[in-house]
Amino acid sequence: MTVEFALDFIPRRMKELGYGDNYITRWRHFQLEKNQNLKIESPNEYYMLIKPDTHIAVKSKTGVFDYADEGINEMQYEHKGKIQVKNKSE
C-alpha cells in the first residue's frame, strides 16, 4: 500500500465501518531490530501497512502479512486488535 492509496482509502473505509468523518489519522513509524517482536493492543484503532519491508511479518485478527510465508494467498494491509509485528531479518 502506498501513502497515496492510504489517504484515498482511509476516508472511504471509515465510512464503510460507520465512523463517517469521526476519526483521527495518525502516522506511526516503527523501527525494529533484527528478530525483534512488537505487540500492539489496538481494540479501537485500525493500522494500515504502508510500504512494509519484505522482512516484516504482521499478524492480527484481521489477517496476516508475511512475504516469506508461501502458504498465504492474500496479504492483509489493514490490522486491528492484538497485532504482532516481527522483523524476520537475521
Side-chain angles (χ1 to χ4, degrees):
M1 180 180 299
T2 65
V3 171
E4 295 79 14
F5 179 82
L7 290 174
D8 179 62
F9 175 75
I10 291 169
R12 290 184 286 113
R13 183 68 173 129
M14 292 298 105
K15 286 180 183 169
E16 285 176 8
L17 295 169
Y19 297 105
D21 293 329
N22 190 24
Y23 66 92
I24 297 170
T25 302
R26 189 171 125 201
W27 297 96
R28 296 185 74 182
H29 184 99
F30 299 111
Q31 295 191 136
L32 281 69
E33 299 290 329
K34 293 178 180 181
N35 293 311
Q36 183 179 356
N37 290 302
L38 173 65
K39 292 183 181 181
I40 302 168
E41 295 282 339
S42 64
N44 299 317
E45 300 172 330
Y46 287 86
Y47 281 74
M48 308 286 177
L49 296 177
I50 309 282
K51 297 183 182 177
D53 187 89
T54 57
H55 295 100
I56 296 297
V58 181
K59 293 181 182 179
S60 71
K61 71 178 189 177
T62 58
V64 177
F65 179 93
D66 186 350
Y67 281 126
D69 189 340
E70 295 178 5
I72 300 172
N73 61 0
E74 183 178 354
M75 302 289 177
Q76 295 298 318
Y77 286 79
E78 179 181 327
H79 296 273
K80 69 177 271 185
K82 294 180 182 181
I83 303 171
Q84 296 177 4
V85 183
K86 180 172 183 163
N87 181 347
K88 296 173 82 174
S89 61
E90 297 181 12

